[in-house]
Amino acid sequence: MQKKSYKDATLEALAEEMGRDPSVFVMAEDLHGRGGGLSHYLGLKELLNGDTSHMLDTPISETAIVSSAVGAALSGMRPVIDMRFSNCLPACMDELVNQAAKSRYMFGGQGKVSMVVRCPDGIVKMQGAHHTDCLEAWFAHIPGLQVVVPSCPAEGKGLLKTAIRNDNPVIFLEHKTLFKTEGDVPEGDYTIPFGKARIAREGRDVTLVVYGVMVNRALEAAEVLAAKGIDAEVLDLRTLTPLDKETILASVRKTGRAVVAHEAVRHGGFGGELSATISEEAFSSLKSPVVRIGAPFVPIPVSPHLEDQCRVLPQNIVQAVCQMMA
Amino acid sequence: MFSKEELLRHYETMVKIRKFELEAKRARESGDILGNVHLYIGEEAVATGVCACLSLHDRIESTHRGHGHTIAKGADLRPMMAELYGKATGCCKGKGGSQHIADFQVGMLGANGIVGGGFGLAVGAALAARFQNSDAISVVFFGDGAINRGPFHESANMAAAWHLPVIFVCENNGIACSTQHATGGQQAVLNLSKRADSYDMTSYVVNGNDFFAVQAAMEKLVQRARNGEGNRCGFLECQTHRALGHNVGDSQPYRDAEAAWARLEADDPIQNFERRCLTDGVLTREDFDMVSAHVDSLIEDARRFAVESPYPEPDELYADLYD
């Protein structure tokens, strides 16, 4: 174990996978200039000993980036591409939804689309509506895609390595605030299987079902709740597709209560799927209805006080749990 | 110059496409198959002329009108026909159908239900070839309608900027679904090859109903794509004619259907090929008749194979979705 930032942990994972398999390559805007949109590729060249042959600096052409990645993947490569931030995803929905997701299936398995679409998302500060959306629900709704939402540096490393090695198109959503966070990261060849949720904190009274940046916020909430005598279990889903229903249901059957939280807009969010799954399949264990927490149904505004209303923070989770337990 | 064997092979390809499409039309009209079936009748010389210049390992991206490209690239008719029927023996195991027909074994990376969906895929295939130290090139077929989509421009720019071996083959059949190329008000500039100039591509405009014209221009583009330096992209506009509706069942309220068919009879790529070979004295009417009879038997064999093949088992529903 070594303490590393999320940026460094994922950069190392990428460099290791590129060294391990020559079919892995990276395509991103501004890759050689500022090291990608968030400079999270700065240092990659050095980790590759100066070999930039597999680092492609692209034009500002998200549509062509995604579709050329699909074409390369169908021809045997393993591209890792970066969408700069989540609101670029809508510019290439055909390429993600019709081409990446469906090519393998509708061609009867003749080709595989082994690609990773890295995509920073989420609210930081005053970035406005075109840089902040959390769109995981869109992609979780598409058969053929896998959706991965890492929560911390170690998870980022292990999940990114698995994403690169597996043979499916992976939407890899990374909250922008994660990149500077630090944590203990296992050395060497550390991979995390998809579809296996992590119990980030064990508890008896209520299950907090979360993913991505919300995991740390839920852990903070759990500490506050502990001081109030409420023992919360925190589940880090890691991957939304595939979804580890077993671990969710087992936890809820134990605690009898579930709060589902995400930074995405609550209306039509993935929390609805989680809530429905729990309600349908663990109804008899529930002591109270499942509660969903998410952002209000508005584009994210710039003005700080309005923006603050869109954040889903530990206190929102604490409040929801307290109401539920009252 | 072509050898007699080569001419017979190219002729057979065109006849295969024509007869496959006529059989697909019959099957769709009779209800033997359902769904969207887009026919390539009248455009046979384009796919045949282009693919005559390609090797097996070269890769093509197709359109929703993809049967002709698939046949020209060398696919077997049996799994193709079975695919139209949604059978387990289809080249896509019955999951793609007419509009998503594909045969990766011959470098045909798929028909595409999204107009303009293939541009970037072809760029990516060329990129893969470069990484894999292969001399394979990519060809993307598209129509006069698809060139108005943004992905054309992003992909053309990327391929040209990165010196990738991609040839953009524009099948200008004069009509985008039901909107006329010349009079529909959808093109700022009717000369489509001008758009290739924007990306500094070598471009040719040819009579797409003349196999020999298509092949000759394509050959030059292929040489450059495979062996050239710098910008190796090419653009080939093949001016051709869609003899039937957009899809089987399209009553063509937007044009005179009889006149559209008559135009094929007046300028049929297959008859044009025959005439040229007869004039040159390299093939005879007997040669054509032999090919025609042989293709008839291939089509009937493919039809029977498709009809007699089983549908996929129910548990195939989730196969080939994820690992």
Side-chain angles (χ1 to χ4, degrees):
Chain A
M1 289 282 188
Q2 224 184 338
K3 212 170 201 48
K4 280 179 191 147
S5 69
Y6 180 90
K7 179 237 171 193
D8 287 341
T10 49
L11 195 65
E12 280 176 22
L14 178 60
E16 283 170 19
E17 292 308 298
M18 291 173 80
R20 183 177 171 270
D21 181 349
S23 66
V24 180
F25 69 98
V26 187
M27 281 199 287
E29 295 165 3
D30 289 309
L31 188 58
H32 292 299
R34 59 189 268 180
L38 299 184
S39 299
H40 49 304
Y41 297 94
L42 272 185
L44 180 59
K45 179 181 165 185
E46 289 70 24
L47 288 173
L48 298 172
N49 299 315
D51 176 8
T52 57
S53 63
H54 284 54
M55 292 174 59
L56 301 183
D57 212 353
T58 69
I60 301 176
S61 302
E62 285 83 9
T63 299
I65 295 169
V66 178
S67 54
S68 63
V70 176
L74 287 172
S75 305
M77 300 297 290
R78 292 181 179 276
V80 177
I81 60 176
D82 194 289
M83 287 289 99
R84 200 171 193 115
F85 43 77
S86 58
N87 291 85
C88 293
L89 290 168
C92 34
M93 284 304 272
D94 167 51
E95 290 67 26
L96 293 166
V97 171
N98 288 317
Q99 315 300 340
K102 295 178 181 147
S103 288
R104 178 178 182 181
Y105 186 81
M106 71 184 190
F107 298 146
Q110 293 185 72
K112 292 178 177 178
V113 184
S114 316
M115 64 186 274
V116 183
V117 183
R118 292 186 75 181
C119 190
D121 69 1
I123 301 172
V124 186
K125 274 194 168 66
M126 295 183 74
Q127 287 187 325
H130 282 182
H131 275 38
T132 44
D133 278 342
C134 291
L135 300 174
E136 66 273 12
W138 291 21
F139 300 101
H141 191 63
I142 304 300
L145 297 177
Q146 291 186 323
V147 180
V148 180
V149 196
S151 61
C152 65
E155 292 287 310
K157 174 177 177 173
L159 290 168
L160 184 59
K161 277 177 166 276
T162 303
I164 293 170
R165 288 183 199 184
N166 99 359
D167 282 336
N168 306 304
V170 177
I171 309 293
F172 200 86
L173 299 166
E174 306 169 274
H175 199 279
K176 282 178 284 191
T177 58
L178 270 182
F179 287 90
K180 287 181 180 165
T181 60
E182 293 197 331
D184 288 331
V185 179
E187 294 293 298
D189 205 22
Y190 176 63
T191 59
I192 296 172
F194 284 3
K196 189 73 201 128
R198 174 175 70 105
I199 301 173
R201 182 188 195 281
E202 287 198 56
R204 293 185 312 271
D205 299 330
V206 58
T207 303
L208 307 180
V209 186
V210 287
Y211 49 85
V213 74
M214 205 55 61
V215 174
N216 280 331
R217 295 180 193 170
L219 287 169
E220 273 185 53
E223 292 307 311
V224 176
L225 290 167
K228 296 174 188 286
I230 299 170
D231 190 16
E233 179 145 300
V234 178
L235 294 189
D236 175 359
L237 294 182
R238 291 173 162 162
T239 62
L240 307 189
T241 310
L243 180 64
D244 183 3
K245 289 204 301 190
E246 272 179 34
T247 300
I248 298 170
L249 295 172
S251 175
V252 174
R253 285 185 185 120
K254 178 178 73 176
T255 63
R257 297 182 185 87
V259 171
V260 176
H262 51 58
E263 190 175 293
V265 166
R266 182 175 179 272
H267 179 90
F270 193 71
E273 178 66 23
L274 293 170
S275 172
T277 299
I278 294 166
S279 301
E280 284 170 353
E281 299 188 38
F283 186 74
S284 58
S285 306
L286 286 175
K287 296 169 186 161
S288 63
V290 180
V291 170
R292 285 183 295 147
I293 307 176
F297 195 54
V298 292
I300 307 301
V302 162
S303 186
H305 297 299
L306 297 178
E307 185 184 56
D308 282 345
Q309 293 184 52
C310 299
R311 291 177 206 279
V312 176
L313 297 171
Q315 57 261 38
N316 302 106
I317 299 173
V318 170
Q319 191 184 10
V321 172
C322 289
Q323 278 176 2
M324 178 186 259
M325 304 286 286
Chain B
M1 285 300 291
F2 295 98
S3 68
K4 183 175 176 181
E5 288 69 30
E6 286 169 332
L7 289 172
L8 280 171
R9 195 173 73 241
H10 300 318
Y11 180 73
E12 181 177 312
T13 299
M14 288 203 288
V15 174
K16 262 190 197 171
I17 296 171
R18 175 70 55 89
K19 290 181 183 277
F20 185 93
E21 296 296 58
L22 288 170
E23 170 54 24
K25 179 172 182 284
R26 184 210 61 75
R28 180 64 188 84
E29 286 174 344
S30 70
D32 286 356
I33 60 174
L34 300 173
N36 290 328
V37 178
H38 306 90
L39 301 177
Y40 200 64
I41 290 173
E43 307 183 35
E44 294 88 348
V46 178
T48 308
V50 165
C51 292
C53 305
L54 301 180
S55 302
L56 187 67
H57 71 302
D58 293 326
R59 294 160 175 141
I60 65 168
E61 282 292 337
S62 177
T63 69
H64 52 285
R65 200 176 303 287
H67 307 163
H69 309 136
T70 315
I71 292 170
K73 195 65 174 64
D76 187 5
L77 298 187
R78 278 183 160 202
M80 280 189 67
M81 194 68 85
E83 189 57 36
L84 267 57
Y85 279 74
K87 295 296 184 76
T89 54
C91 43
C92 304
K93 300 182 189 168
K95 287 178 173 163
S98 164
Q99 194 167 244
H100 305 122
I101 204 154
D103 188 344
F104 280 43
Q105 285 182 10
V106 299
M108 196 296 191
L109 298 190
N112 208 305
I114 305 302
V115 172
F119 292 118
L121 301 175
V123 175
L127 189 57
R130 171 179 291 177
F131 277 124
Q132 292 157 349
N133 295 317
S134 158
D135 73 344
I137 66 170
S138 292
V139 172
V140 52
F141 292 95
F142 59 99
D144 45 297
I147 198 170
N148 291 330
R149 288 213 58 227
F152 167 74
H153 297 279
E154 289 197 14
S155 303
N157 177 63
M158 187 182 268
W162 290 359
H163 299 171
L164 294 171
V166 183
I167 300 175
F168 296 79
V169 176
C170 180
E171 301 178 313
N172 183 355
N173 62 15
I175 195 160
C177 190
S178 67
T179 304
Q180 301 287 341
H181 172 74
T183 58
Q186 60 175 320
Q187 311 284 4
V189 178
L190 287 178
N191 180 355
L192 299 178
S193 67
K194 275 197 176 180
R195 301 196 190 182
D197 296 344
S198 306
Y199 306 104
D200 203 19
M201 292 180 192
T202 306
S203 69
Y204 299 102
V205 183
V206 297
N207 176 0
N209 295 339
D210 177 355
F211 164 86
F212 298 97
V214 173
Q215 190 277 336
M218 185 67 185
E219 187 59 40
K220 287 189 260 185
L221 294 175
V222 169
Q223 287 300 330
R224 178 169 174 76
R226 212 184 295 284
N227 306 314
E229 309 229 320
N231 185 345
R232 297 150 74 190
C233 289
F235 184 98
L236 182 64
E237 179 185 341
C238 302
Q239 296 182 335
T240 181
H241 174 62
R242 194 190 78 203
L244 293 166
H246 173 67
N247 54 313
V248 180
D250 174 6
S251 62
Q252 305 185 66
Y254 46 85
R255 70 174 181 181
D256 182 339
E258 282 182 20
W261 184 257
R263 194 173 146 192
L264 169 71
E265 289 174 337
D267 184 16
D268 183 331
I270 295 177
Q271 288 176 21
N272 293 344
F273 186 97
E274 291 174 355
R275 212 172 292 122
R276 163 85 175 262
C277 292
L278 289 171
T279 304
D280 290 353
V282 281
L283 295 179
T284 65
R285 181 54 58 192
E286 289 71 38
D287 290 325
F288 302 138
D289 291 345
M290 263 174 52
V291 169
S292 182
H294 173 60
V295 172
D296 281 339
S297 69
L298 291 177
I299 299 293
E300 174 54 19
D301 170 73
R303 187 198 65 80
R304 187 174 303 139
F305 175 78
V307 169
E308 291 173 358
S309 288
Y311 285 108
E313 294 294 325
D315 63 4
E316 272 289 302
L317 182 64
Y318 290 101
D320 297 315
L321 184 60
Y322 295 109
D323 275 339

